[in-house]
Amino acid sequence: IYGLLGKEAEEKKNLLEQHQMEQQYVQLLTRASENKNQGKSYYGKVIDRSFNIKESSFVINPFSFDSVSNNLINSIDYYKQAESLYRLSGELNEANLLQDKISQIENTRSSIIRSFFILGSIYVLLFIGFLIRVSLAIQRFHLDEDETDLGNIVMKSENV
């Protein structure tokens, strides 16, 4: 517009400002895309280390729970950073999609934590059951041993 009005100084100033804004926009989108890819990578690690049925996820191995939990936290953080960068750049549709993805990952995280505590409780109950079973078996063994000793005493007294 300034070029049509004959104001070349204003035109150059605004062209420079436009170029800077375009560079900032591209940088924001690049950083947002990188963060989104990082979040996707961390979430992929979670999917690989967990057992998934429809909307629920389970961590069967209790020793891998920490790494799965950390990967989920990192994934959420990267997705939140990407979402804020998309909002800052004006890409609201992409930001809204990421917001939905973040809520899905948070649901997955709560599902994994809930299932971890349930599975841990089952493991504890199985271990207690095992201990009870072993103690009853030891007790019966000692009773059988006592019966054997009593039987030996009775058998020796009849032979005399």
Side-chain angles (χ1 to χ4, degrees), residues 43 46 50-59 65 68 72 103-119:
Y43 189 66
V46 168
S50 61
F51 181 70
N52 302 301
I53 299 175
K54 293 185 182 179
E55 297 294 323
S56 299
S57 296
F58 307 96
V59 177
F65 177 76
V68 169
L72 277 172
S103 65
Q104 175 194 357
I105 293 173
E106 287 173 342
N107 289 340
T108 301
R109 183 170 183 255
S110 65
S111 170
I112 286 176
I113 290 171
R114 186 174 45 253
S115 66
F116 177 73
F117 285 120
I118 291 170
L119 189 61

Side-chain angles (χ1 to χ4, degrees), residues 42-43 45-50 59 61-75 112:
Y42 279 113
Y43 189 66
K45 291 176 186 176
V46 168
I47 296 300
D48 290 342
R49 297 191 123 219
S50 61
V59 177
N61 183 359
F63 297 111
S64 66
F65 177 76
D66 283 339
S67 67
V68 169
S69 182
N70 288 336
N71 285 336
L72 277 172
I73 290 169
N74 290 337
S75 176
I112 286 176

